[in-house]
Amino acid sequence: MTSPNEHTPTQLAQWPAVDDHLVEPEVSRDEVVRGIKQQALPSNPPHAERQTKIGAILWSHIRPGYKVMSELLTRVSDDSDFATDVCVIREGEDPTTGQRFLEDIAFEIVDTQRPGELRARA
């Protein structure tokens, strides 16, 4: 799939906005992955520890103009609206869309998830 930032303004109108959610952030633990609504589950200690370490490593190496975030709910397509474990995002607003930037890189920690679940999120 091509990034929305690689399209013309006319083509961008066909993409949902990153903050036009299918679920309510901060209210529910729901996510939608490829059209399937599911609950975001709490982490086991190994998953939570790895997520914290990756965030710390990224934060210590991030360049000015970028920030590190965790569990940022993002509308990634017409039928997907979910949060990756850790991501790097440019600060400010995208002048093309008037909204926050789409994540530049995102990390999903692998612990007890089934491979099919991870592929759908990727």
Side-chain angles (χ1 to χ4, degrees):
M1 181 180 277
T2 311
S3 166
N5 294 334
E6 298 173 7
H7 287 79
T8 66
T10 304
Q11 291 170 319
L12 277 174
Q14 299 171 11
W15 284 77
V18 294
D19 288 325
D20 182 18
H21 297 295
L22 297 170
V23 298
E24 267 191 90
E26 308 291 333
V27 175
S28 76
R29 294 174 47 192
D30 293 335
E31 295 181 313
V32 179
V33 180
R34 293 192 176 179
I36 300 170
K37 193 173 191 177
Q38 55 196 35
Q39 233 184 20
L41 302 174
S43 299
N44 287 319
H47 182 112
E49 182 180 6
R50 289 181 194 120
Q51 184 170 335
T52 301
K53 285 180 178 179
I54 287 175
I57 290 167
L58 290 171
W59 182 83
S60 68
H61 291 89
I62 202 76
R63 61 188 272 198
Y66 288 82
K67 53 190 171 184
V68 177
M69 299 185 148
S70 64
E71 303 299 336
L72 177 62
L73 186 63
T74 301
R75 180 79 178 270
V76 296
S77 67
D78 287 336
D79 63 352
S80 292
D81 187 18
F82 60 87
T84 54
D85 289 323
V86 181
C87 68
V88 174
I89 184 172
R90 279 184 272 176
E91 293 179 341
E93 273 188 3
D94 182 337
T96 308
T97 64
Q99 296 191 28
R100 70 172 172 85
F101 285 99
L102 184 64
E103 292 86 328
D104 283 280
I105 188 168
F107 296 85
E108 191 66 26
I109 308 302
V110 178
D111 186 29
T112 58
Q113 300 95 323
R114 294 186 299 253
E117 293 171 356
L118 294 171
R119 278 192 296 275
R121 295 172 83 86

